[in-house]
Amino acid sequence: MKHILLSILLFAAFTMNAAPPVDTMTGIFNERIKTVQVLGPDGDIFTPPVVVLGAGDVLDIEFDHLADDRVYLRWRVLRCDANWQPSTIAETEYLDGFNESAIESYDFSRGTTVHYVHYGFQFPNADINPSMSGNYLIQVYPEDNPDDIWFQSRVMISEQSAPISASVTSRTDVDYNDAHQQLSVAVDTERAAVSDPFNDLTVVIQQNGRADNETALRHPLRMSARTAIYEHSRPLIFEAGNEYRRMEVSNVNYPGMRVESVDYYEPYYHFNLMVDEPRAEDGYLFDSTQNGRFTVREYNSSQSQLEADYVVVHFALDSPELPGTMVFLDGDFTSRRFDAESQMRYNASTGRYERAMLLKQGHYNYQYLAVPPGARRGYTAPVEGDKYQTVNEYLIKVYARGTLDRTDRLIGVSRITTQ
């Protein structure tokens, strides 16, 4: 009995002392920070936030601060493991130089009703230059208060030492050309310095930039020489979803795509979108989308980043209230977070879910996700439906960590799009 009581007390002590997970999701924590974008080389919005170790490539991070004057901002990085929790290794082990850099590039908005300052910086740069592959969280804060994080963004550095091949099919282990898509993945570890590929690898798969339904595999199904084969495993099966919805708010003088009307009530232009309908029971309809991304654009400007205005966009979903379920807007413009900013509120008087958001002029992709009580992930089935024909983009990340290693290396990243 004494041993049992001791075990219970030790377990309780461990549970009480266990640190809660650190919030490392991309997110904005200052209401005046808007339109955070992480752009690939040459400003490519379609490139995942990944640079190759030692290749000289950089990511451009851009954002706006709704203000009349510049503030002095700085940024740093937090290195994370494969689960996006802070690494235990020292900064000197993964950084060449300091872990602090000033944001010196900025400009003021021009001719807009909402004044803002547009900032930009690059990762890596001369001040912060990681020497190790892996996951990195960029954190931006005011110079005089390093503890006040205004926003954070996930980025990655890959060795690209493990070539990845993959395929996607709608003929899955749970259904046949119905509501799911299934991946098969092969990882060539020949050049990746992995001693035990069967136990040292973690394969993480992300669908359309979403963090909520990301899956991980700890062991391959089998090995073929030095190639790890992942197939016929439940984490490789994803709900197919539906094509993202699109809307355009680039012109304040006439309604763009999916816009019903444009009004001005000082100090904002208001874009009333056409009322959306649930698509779960509809047939599949192809549309060429950007899988949740957005592009800043003012229709008559050659410098949209400085001349695009901030407008209030009104979303409405004509749907009966889903009992005990919350509905959220999903897309890069919401940072893929389920929070008060992205949550649709049900209006009993109109019979619709509604949300108004302050967004920069441009083109946007979005969808509606249903989140059950206590869940950390959203589901497309209740509102958007799951159509096996949907064109989805899958990002495959491969991490390596040996028995004696204290951190995860990112040895390969690949992207595949269904046809």
Side-chain angles (χ1 to χ4, degrees):
M1 180 62 70
K2 291 182 179 179
H3 292 299
I4 295 175
L5 289 175
L6 180 60
S7 299
I8 293 174
L9 289 174
L10 289 173
F11 177 78
F14 175 81
T15 303
M16 292 176 62
N17 293 327
V22 177
D23 180 3
T24 63
M25 280 189 63
T26 292
I28 298 173
F29 312 114
N30 184 307
E31 63 181 9
R32 303 191 72 83
I33 296 296
K34 302 289 183 183
T35 320
V36 176
Q37 288 187 292
V38 180
L39 309 174
D42 301 319
D44 187 358
I45 69 168
F46 300 104
T47 302
V50 182
V51 293
V52 178
L53 184 66
D57 294 334
V58 297
L59 302 174
D60 288 296
I61 295 89
E62 301 184 3
F63 62 97
D64 293 336
H65 180 216
L66 305 188
D68 293 321
D69 206 354
R70 176 202 181 184
V71 294
Y72 291 91
L73 300 173
R74 304 184 76 84
W75 66 281
R76 62 179 176 242
V77 296
L78 177 67
R79 193 181 183 283
C80 298
D81 60 21
N83 297 318
W84 283 101
Q85 288 302 288
S87 296
T88 57
I89 60 175
E91 290 182 357
T92 54
E93 297 183 66
Y94 61 84
L95 284 179
D96 288 335
F98 302 100
N99 192 7
E100 187 177 55
S101 183
I103 301 177
E104 299 178 341
S105 177
Y106 68 95
D107 208 340
F108 298 97
S109 60
R110 302 168 187 171
T112 58
T113 60
V114 177
H115 296 172
Y116 58 88
V117 184
H118 182 71
Y119 295 85
F121 62 95
Q122 291 185 326
F123 170 84
N125 67 10
D127 296 326
I128 301 179
N129 185 26
S131 57
M132 183 182 294
S133 67
N135 293 336
Y136 288 85
L137 185 71
I138 291 176
Q139 297 178 322
V140 173
Y141 54 91
E143 185 177 66
D144 59 355
N145 191 358
D147 295 327
D148 183 16
I149 300 172
W150 282 14
F151 77 86
Q152 60 189 26
S153 293
R154 289 179 173 182
V155 297
M156 292 163 283
I157 297 180
S158 175
E159 298 174 12
Q160 293 301 86
S161 57
I164 302 168
S165 58
S167 61
V168 185
T169 180
S170 57
R171 302 173 182 179
T172 77
D173 292 342
V174 296
D175 56 23
Y176 184 94
N177 287 352
D178 187 8
H180 295 82
Q181 294 175 350
Q182 182 166 329
L183 283 78
S184 296
V185 178
V187 181
D188 183 352
T189 65
E190 184 69 31
R191 298 184 294 105
V194 178
S195 58
D196 183 4
F198 195 87
N199 293 302
D200 294 351
L201 300 181
T202 298
V203 174
V204 178
I205 303 175
Q206 185 180 80
Q207 182 193 55
N208 297 331
R210 291 172 55 185
D212 64 297
N213 68 342
E214 193 173 68
T215 64
L217 297 93
R218 305 297 177 184
H219 307 283
L221 177 69
R222 55 188 173 88
M223 296 294 302
S224 177
R226 297 291 294 178
T227 298
I229 308 296
Y230 299 82
E231 57 189 7
H232 300 296
S233 176
R234 192 61 183 85
L236 292 169
I237 303 174
F238 287 79
E239 287 93 353
N242 206 338
E243 304 295 348
Y244 275 76
R245 303 174 191 255
R246 295 189 293 158
M247 62 89 169
E248 176 185 328
V249 292
S250 61
N251 192 333
V252 299
N253 296 314
Y254 75 88
M257 179 188 300
R258 295 292 302 164
V259 176
E260 188 172 80
S261 63
V262 182
D263 302 302
Y264 180 76
Y265 305 107
E266 192 173 352
Y268 302 118
Y269 285 95
H270 290 253
F271 283 73
N272 302 294
L273 301 186
M274 296 179 182
V275 177
D276 288 319
E277 304 283 345
R279 301 184 293 173
E281 303 302 323
D282 297 343
Y284 172 75
L285 181 63
F286 172 76
D287 191 12
S288 180
T289 72
Q290 290 74 49
N291 299 109
R293 298 179 176 89
F294 68 88
T295 304
V296 172
R297 181 175 181 268
E298 202 286 325
Y299 87 106
N300 199 32
S301 171
S302 60
Q303 290 187 299
S304 290
Q305 291 289 10
L306 301 177
E307 297 176 355
D309 214 336
Y310 275 87
V311 299
V312 179
V313 180
H314 296 265
F315 296 86
L317 173 65
D318 188 7
S319 168
E321 187 172 12
L322 302 176
T325 299
M326 296 178 290
V327 176
F328 291 87
L329 283 165
D330 171 66
D332 281 356
F333 69 103
T334 68
S335 299
R336 308 287 184 159
R337 280 180 170 259
F338 302 144
D339 56 19
E341 181 71 9
S342 62
Q343 185 176 357
M344 302 289 290
R345 299 294 184 180
Y346 188 73
N347 186 339
S349 63
T350 62
R352 296 169 179 170
Y353 284 92
E354 299 172 347
R355 165 59 59 189
M357 297 186 69
L358 188 65
L359 299 176
K360 200 170 187 178
Q361 285 182 274
H363 301 170
Y364 289 80
N365 280 192
Y366 66 99
Q367 66 177 352
Y368 297 103
L369 294 180
V371 180
R376 295 184 177 181
R377 61 154 297 179
Y379 294 86
T380 46
V383 178
E384 305 294 358
D386 289 313
K387 320 294 181 182
Y388 75 90
Q389 305 97 322
T390 303
V391 179
N392 286 311
E393 180 179 306
Y394 294 94
L395 186 68
I396 304 166
K397 300 169 286 184
V398 180
Y399 300 87
R401 183 170 187 164
T403 305
L404 301 179
D405 294 337
R406 293 182 296 119
T407 187
D408 298 293
R409 297 156 45 215
L410 179 57
I411 61 175
V413 178
S414 184
R415 182 173 48 164
I416 183 173
T417 302
T418 59
Q419 301 298 322

